[in-house]
Amino acid sequence: MRKAVLVYTRKSLNYIVDELKTLCKAAGINIECTVVIKEPKRLSEEKIKEIKKCIEEKYLDTVVIEPELPPSTILRIEKGTGKEVIDRTHVILMVFEKNAGSAEAKLQIQMARLRHVLPLLRERVNLAKRGEMPGFMAGGLIATEKYYRHAQRMIKSLQKRLTEISNRRALLRNQRKNLNIPVISVVGFANAGKTTFFNTATGLSKETGLVPFTTLNPKAYRVKLGTERELILIDTVGFVFNAPPEIIEAFKSTLEEISDSDGIIMIVDASEQIDYIHLKLKEAEKILNRLNSSHKPTLIFFNKMDLVTNENHLSSLRELCNNKDKFMISISECEFGSAFSIEDVEKALNKIINKLTFPE
Ligand SMILES: Nc1nc2c(ncn2[C@@H]2O[C@H](COP(=O)(O)OP(=O)(O)OP(=O)(O)O)[C@@H](O)[C@H]2O)c(=O)[nH]1
Ligand SMILES: [Mg+2]
């Protein structure tokens, strides 16, 4: 277990800091103290000393930073504290690594990680050249440059392998299209209950759990609804706020499954605070837009209703649904229930199928 100090700014949004704390926990990082900075671009020496004091008092080994900082500032903190500095993307990748079961997920994570560290490595080379930094693992300029070039080569070779995987996925999707059965993607934030929904619908028992990003790779499965209807259901990787571009790029082939589906079921954890649900829906809207999927018929499944007992909360959820025109995604329907209930799941599936214009 790592022990860390969390650094965020006065402007950092509460929900982003809270999400980062949850991610740290899932990554095996204990946040033992926090330091709030004023202006991330001009980090003062005093603030670096404050971070160092925290580290020394509590015997910490890591600095987790919330704001995006330029590589030069990250290296200044590293130099000033003598500890490793990791950011939000790095933490997300650590959680991914813990959950990566398939070879594809491992490749995607490796790619995202290298992409993410490249600017930092470049800065390290620059500083080592100027004699201001000892270089990678204190190995001097040659070792730092060597590692930088190695990382560049690795990215190229990973890119090639990921393109092959992407092509294979595209082929599978085409075969699925030829079946002429509607394809529905189950999407939503981490932990909403996507895989639970998928398991109930398919009768499979894919791993579920309270750790975010339990699911990293999509899984498609053919589902029969009654005697006549059929669909292909896809379980997907969870959304995060401000998804880092390196991760989106590396997980492109995974996300393409969503872009290529005919309809969407968005799972929302209805037991969370209403403001938070609202923010998540807005963020999901942005993500679906980026995936060219905001026009697709979408059903919002308000999940975990067994945990919702407050009447006011319930009416706020209903209100959200009644105001669905305010959202940019084409929310066709809402359903309230539990992903554990086969009746609720089948009702949602029938509703979304009815919204599709699909050749019989
Ligand atoms: N109380 C309650 N818990 C639920 C319900 N549906 C799912 N859960 C729980 O919520 C947690 C997350 O469920 P998952 O199905 O793994 O969520 P996910 O969206 O697939 O999560 P990631 O794969 O990590 O993105 C699990 O502990 C489930 O048992 C529900 O209807 N009610
Ligand atoms: Mg899952």
Side-chain angles (χ1 to χ4, degrees):
M1 194 88 175
R2 284 186 189 226
K3 296 203 296 182
V5 41
L6 174 65
V7 180
Y8 58 97
T9 72
R10 279 200 214 153
K11 284 190 198 144
S12 298
L13 299 164
N14 279 346
Y15 62 92
I16 297 275
V17 176
D18 287 346
E19 189 188 58
L20 182 55
K21 285 182 183 163
T22 310
L23 289 167
C24 281
K25 204 167 152 207
I29 305 168
N30 242 356
I31 303 294
E32 306 250 336
C33 66
T34 51
V35 171
V36 184
I37 58 176
K38 205 160 117 192
E39 178 57 72
K41 285 202 186 90
R42 283 187 296 273
L43 189 68
S44 65
E45 284 307 313
E46 282 70 49
K47 274 291 161 193
I48 295 182
K49 279 190 191 135
E50 196 182 324
I51 298 169
K52 191 169 184 208
K53 192 166 163 253
C54 223
I55 290 171
E56 285 172 350
E57 277 175 7
K58 307 219 168 188
Y59 304 101
L60 310 181
D61 46 42
T62 308
V63 182
V64 178
I65 48 167
E66 187 281 316
E68 238 177 71
L69 297 179
S72 55
T73 312
I74 293 179
L75 293 182
R76 264 182 64 217
I77 305 176
E78 229 166 62
K79 207 174 164 190
T81 60
K83 300 292 170 197
E84 189 185 4
V85 179
I86 61 180
D87 62 6
R88 200 168 150 266
T89 307
H90 196 127
V91 177
I92 293 174
L93 288 171
M94 283 171 75
V95 185
F96 277 14
E97 256 155 24
K98 281 192 151 192
N99 297 334
S102 70
E104 179 183 7
K106 286 190 178 118
L107 281 180
Q108 286 169 319
I109 295 162
Q110 209 184 343
M111 172 78 165
R113 192 183 263 285
L114 282 169
R115 272 240 142 100
H116 185 59
V117 298
L118 211 59
L120 205 62
L121 281 175
R122 198 179 304 126
E123 183 68 16
R124 238 184 248 277
V125 172
N126 289 339
L127 287 180
K129 271 187 182 158
R130 297 205 300 263
E132 291 172 27
M133 195 98 188
F136 180 68
M137 302 283 193
L141 175 61
I142 294 173
T144 312
E145 267 196 314
K146 228 176 168 178
Y147 188 72
Y148 178 64
R149 298 210 190 297
H150 169 74
Q152 280 182 314
R153 276 197 303 275
M154 280 291 288
I155 287 176
K156 272 210 182 114
S157 110
L158 284 171
Q159 189 111 54
K160 224 170 117 192
R161 287 163 75 188
L162 284 172
T163 307
E164 280 163 22
I165 290 176
S166 177
N167 291 343
R168 217 177 310 140
R169 273 202 180 280
L171 202 73
L172 280 175
R173 277 202 300 277
N174 263 338
Q175 285 172 358
R176 256 190 252 141
K177 266 201 189 119
N178 291 338
L179 291 173
N180 214 17
I181 302 175
V183 178
I184 308 288
S185 281
V186 183
V187 308
F189 271 72
N191 257 337
K194 300 178 292 299
T195 305
T196 308
F197 185 98
F198 179 85
N199 284 345
T200 303
T202 58
L204 297 179
S205 44
K206 273 190 76 194
E207 192 182 347
T208 62
L210 278 174
V211 180
F213 307 118
T214 306
T215 309
L216 281 181
N217 280 133
K219 185 169 175 73
Y221 203 78
R222 212 162 153 167
V223 177
K224 260 194 183 330
L225 270 181
T227 48
E228 308 242 308
R229 293 177 133 177
E230 252 192 317
L231 64 116
I232 289 167
L233 202 62
I234 304 183
D235 185 21
T236 63
V237 61
F239 295 162
V240 267
F241 286 106
N242 304 333
E246 305 91 312
I247 292 185
I248 296 183
E249 178 58 32
F251 279 76
K252 210 166 136 237
S253 69
T254 300
L255 295 169
E256 272 164 6
E257 299 285 349
I258 300 174
S259 313
D260 241 22
S261 55
D262 302 297
I264 286 169
I265 292 186
M266 191 178 326
I267 311 285
V268 172
D269 183 344
S271 68
E272 290 185 320
Q273 278 185 14
I274 202 76
D275 291 352
Y276 200 36
I277 291 177
H278 207 268
L279 285 169
K280 283 187 167 178
L281 280 172
K282 281 280 164 203
E283 186 73 20
E285 197 173 82
K286 273 197 251 166
I287 298 169
L288 288 179
N289 210 8
R290 227 182 290 144
L291 297 171
N292 294 325
S293 297
S294 47
H295 63 285
K296 292 187 180 157
T298 300
L299 177 139
I300 303 214
F301 187 85
F302 287 101
N303 189 27
K304 309 194 188 180
M305 287 304 289
D306 50 298
L307 302 176
V308 178
T309 45
N310 182 311
E311 273 302 318
N312 288 342
H313 188 71
L314 193 62
S315 48
S316 303
L317 291 174
R318 292 225 170 87
E319 204 180 322
L320 246 178
C321 213
N322 291 337
N323 286 322
K324 52 183 185 266
D325 304 344
K326 288 198 184 136
F327 289 92
M328 275 183 325
I329 43 176
S330 85
I331 303 174
S332 330
E333 289 280 356
C334 289
E335 184 63 45
F336 298 84
S338 164
F340 287 122
S341 151
I342 182 77
E343 288 81 23
D344 294 348
V345 167
E346 283 188 347
K347 213 161 142 196
L349 292 175
N350 273 309
K351 269 189 175 177
I352 189 74
I353 294 284
N354 286 339
K355 291 289 166 188
L356 302 182
T357 41
F358 211 79
E360 289 291 326

